[in-house]
Amino acid sequence: MSEREITPEIIRSAICSMVEVERTNQGLEVYLPQIYHSGHNVAVVVRAEAEGYLVHDNSYAAMILANLGIPTGKRLADVVQPEVEAYGCRLDGMRVMRRCHADDDLGVAMTLVGCASRLIADRALKNSLAPIHDFKASLLGKVVDTVGAKRVRTNEQVSGHLGGHYRVSAVVLDRTESKPIAFVEPIADREAVARRFKEFYDIKHNPAYASVERVAVHDDGGIPSGDALLLEEVGHLIRFSQAASHFSMWTRH
């Protein structure tokens, strides 16, 4: 059997497909082709200033640690400060940041902030008390096991009513494999709640997906009732232990 041909264009396309840019009230939020151990894409925020740009991680890494019960105060900041500075960045509280002046320097600045942010999040891997597991991979495995691999598309891009583009973790197709019947997203921690709410709200109001079910699955550890009510407004929220039962309904469609 001949080897599959690989080209620079294939590699470039694979990397670029992971990059998303969204406008927020803080600036442009950029999802990089880097992954935290939690399964989330590393994201940085770029804000224009009078003399250039400020790039920061919006304290995402610190939020990941906090959600795992790891203290993120001054003691941790003092420990990671030299490591962050090794990437040419600095800490503001637990927010990783770097400034640059020229447009040509933005790519390097975003990459360095992303690396330093992931370095902080990886402190969880050194903490024996942190329950680290790939919740997203476990969820995708359960979707595939229930409806079959041919009916599941991962990391599929869909558009929202407001023009935003989203990479849905799992798109479940109907039995003819011709149209989507469900969008499935993991809620691995509280950090994901606001992002999934925005995604589902935008998709919900796109007429093209009016009949597509939106399902958010959270770990059996539970999430605060306020967060649960928020997600219930834009889709179905279920526990991971209930997922197989819920997904089995799709085998009939």
Side-chain angles (χ1 to χ4, degrees):
M1 184 174 65
S2 61
E3 292 185 0
R4 175 181 296 180
E5 182 182 1
I6 189 166
T7 66
E9 289 73 23
I10 290 175
I11 299 298
R12 190 177 298 111
S13 176
I15 294 174
C16 290
S17 68
M18 297 180 66
V19 178
E20 296 288 343
V21 182
E22 297 180 6
R23 188 174 297 278
T24 71
N25 58 4
Q26 298 186 64
L28 293 177
E29 188 170 58
V30 183
Y31 297 90
L32 302 174
Q34 297 171 278
I35 306 291
Y36 291 119
H37 60 73
S38 63
H40 298 96
N41 279 73
V42 175
V44 299
V45 175
V46 180
R47 189 182 76 204
E49 296 186 322
E51 298 182 358
Y53 303 96
L54 171 66
V55 182
H56 63 87
D57 78 335
N58 209 23
S59 301
Y60 288 140
M63 284 189 279
I64 289 175
L65 297 182
N67 287 332
L68 292 171
I70 299 174
T72 58
K74 185 178 184 301
R75 182 176 179 181
L76 177 62
D78 290 342
V79 171
V80 300
Q81 179 78 37
E83 300 171 354
V84 170
E85 290 178 350
Y87 280 101
C89 303
R90 67 183 184 87
L91 282 179
D92 177 18
M94 282 299 292
R95 183 177 68 159
V96 180
M97 58 191 300
R98 178 184 173 94
R99 284 185 165 85
C100 64
H101 300 290
D103 294 359
D104 291 344
D105 296 332
L106 265 176
V108 172
M110 289 187 292
T111 301
L112 290 173
V113 170
C115 288
S117 181
R118 203 181 75 171
L119 178 147
I120 292 176
D122 283 349
R123 301 293 300 185
L125 301 176
K126 302 176 182 179
N127 190 320
S128 60
L129 299 178
I132 301 301
H133 65 286
D134 194 339
F135 180 63
K136 180 177 179 179
S138 299
L139 176 60
L140 294 180
K142 184 155 291 193
V143 176
V144 170
D145 289 344
T146 306
V147 302
K150 290 185 177 181
R151 292 182 55 187
V152 180
R153 301 289 182 269
T154 60
N155 203 34
E156 193 94 341
Q157 180 172 292
V158 302
S159 299
H161 173 65
L162 300 176
H165 299 291
Y166 307 93
R167 293 281 175 180
V168 178
S169 297
V171 176
V172 180
L173 304 179
D174 64 1
R175 295 175 68 178
T176 65
E177 301 172 28
S178 60
K179 63 180 181 180
I181 60 172
F183 296 145
V184 183
E185 291 285 18
I187 305 294
D189 47 48
R190 289 199 68 189
E191 174 197 354
V193 172
R195 187 172 298 173
R196 296 311 182 203
F197 174 83
K198 176 187 175 184
E199 173 187 336
F200 278 3
Y201 178 88
D202 203 3
I203 293 173
K204 175 183 178 181
H205 290 87
N206 184 341
Y209 304 124
S211 62
V212 180
E213 184 180 5
R214 298 166 303 281
V215 179
V217 183
H218 66 90
D219 194 290
D220 289 323
I223 61 175
S225 58
D227 291 346
L229 290 172
L230 192 67
L231 290 169
E232 288 283 6
E233 290 184 8
V234 292
H236 292 116
L237 178 66
I238 62 175
R239 292 178 178 271
F240 184 73
S241 59
Q242 302 168 328
S245 175
H246 189 95
F247 297 166
S248 65
M249 295 187 295
W250 299 332
T251 61
R252 301 190 290 270
H253 299 283

